[in-house]
Amino acid sequence: MAITLYDAVPSSNSDRVKIALHEKGLAYSRITLDLAKKDQKRPEFLKLNPYGKVPVIDDGGKVLFESCIINEYLDEQYPNPALMPKDPYLRGRGRVLVDYALNYIHEPYWALRGEMLKKESERDASVMEEKRQTLRDRLQYLENALGDHLYFLGEMSLTDIAVLPRFLRMESYGALPSPLLPRLGEWLQRMKERPSVKAIL
């Protein structure tokens, strides 16, 4: 059965699913929505995802939305290579790190993104620097969580995939790299070298 991915460009959430599909070596077709034209709010799309957001995956008639949920499904449905550890604690730990990275970091991230979307002449430099600093402060927990591992749970996993797109944005917004966060800087470079990530860059 064919996998169809409804995505958008740019879309951090869509990128998460594309990376997982590439890591799994799964073939898929894309239907790319134009968010500016509100394709995602059309009635036919809302039947697939009532939230009116991308991504959505249709795997032979099985429809799912929300990128982290889609990726958990892909890992269970197509178990080779595995992208989550067998250890229940590590699986839980991975979900905690994703929750932290996507929820606790969201406020300063979203505020910084809002400034970056403005014309350069209209951006508030003091707000931007304050939000960058808040992000670096909050990222310290993830710096410590990474420790001496190459990836957050030791091996490459859905945890790395889930947090990466936001890190790529934070890098483009000037919050990273930081001398205070050397391990995260090395992790980000390591992730960018993976063929699955190169495919979305």
Side-chain angles (χ1 to χ4, degrees), residues 161-173:
I161 294 172
V163 302
L164 176 72
R166 191 159 284 194
F167 271 80
L168 292 171
R169 288 265 179 97
M170 286 190 283
E171 184 181 41
S172 72
Y173 298 164

Side-chain angles (χ1 to χ4, degrees), residues 123-139:
R123 294 175 189 165
D124 186 325
S126 63
V127 169
M128 286 161 58
E129 202 37 57
E130 181 209 338
K131 297 305 176 189
R132 285 177 185 137
Q133 194 50 54
T134 303
L135 282 170
R136 291 178 196 125
D137 291 344
R138 294 190 183 187
L139 286 169

Side-chain angles (χ1 to χ4, degrees), residues 8-187:
V9 180
S11 162
S12 291
N13 294 329
S14 298
D15 287 346
R16 253 181 224 116
V17 177
K18 287 178 203 164
I19 294 168
L21 287 163
H22 281 278
E23 287 285 341
K24 295 274 179 193
L26 294 170
Y28 65 98
S29 57
R30 287 169 60 190
I31 296 176
T32 300
L33 280 61
D34 186 334
L35 303 187
K37 291 185 179 167
K38 298 282 187 242
D39 287 352
Q40 74 279 23
K41 303 298 183 187
R42 291 183 177 165
E44 59 271 29
F45 186 74
L46 291 173
K47 284 179 187 165
L48 299 173
N49 182 358
Y51 296 166
K53 293 178 180 175
V54 291
V56 169
I57 202 166
D58 181 342
D59 185 8
K62 299 175 197 157
V63 175
L64 290 170
F65 46 91
E66 291 296 293
S67 58
C68 290
I69 295 171
I70 292 171
N71 281 358
E72 288 202 1
Y73 161 78
L74 290 172
D75 198 44
E76 291 173 20
Q77 182 70 14
Y78 303 98
N80 289 312
L83 289 175
M84 281 299 267
K86 290 274 184 276
D87 182 312
Y89 170 72
L90 278 180
R91 293 167 80 91
R93 179 73 179 144
R95 291 190 181 102
V96 164
L97 295 175
V98 171
D99 189 82
Y100 183 93
L102 299 189
N103 293 326
Y104 189 57
I105 288 175
H106 183 76
E107 183 278 320
Y109 167 81
W110 204 247
L112 179 58
R113 181 175 182 269
E115 288 297 317
M116 296 299 293
L117 290 174
K118 295 176 184 175
K119 288 182 195 156
E120 204 162 337
S121 58
E122 294 169 9
R123 294 175 189 165
D124 186 325
S126 63
V127 169
M128 286 161 58
E129 202 37 57
E130 181 209 338
K131 297 305 176 189
R132 285 177 185 137
Q133 194 50 54
T134 303
L135 282 170
R136 291 178 196 125
D137 291 344
R138 294 190 183 187
L139 286 169
Q140 192 65 54
Y141 180 78
L142 295 176
E143 172 82 4
N144 296 340
L146 185 59
D148 296 325
H149 297 298
L150 293 178
Y151 300 99
F152 280 105
L153 303 183
E155 303 284 326
M156 164 76 169
S157 74
L158 293 182
T159 300
D160 303 282
I161 294 172
V163 302
L164 176 72
R166 191 159 284 194
F167 271 80
L168 292 171
R169 288 265 179 97
M170 286 190 283
E171 184 181 41
S172 72
Y173 298 164
L176 293 168
S178 164
L180 302 172
L181 303 164
R183 290 163 169 164
L184 288 178
E186 288 171 12
W187 168 83

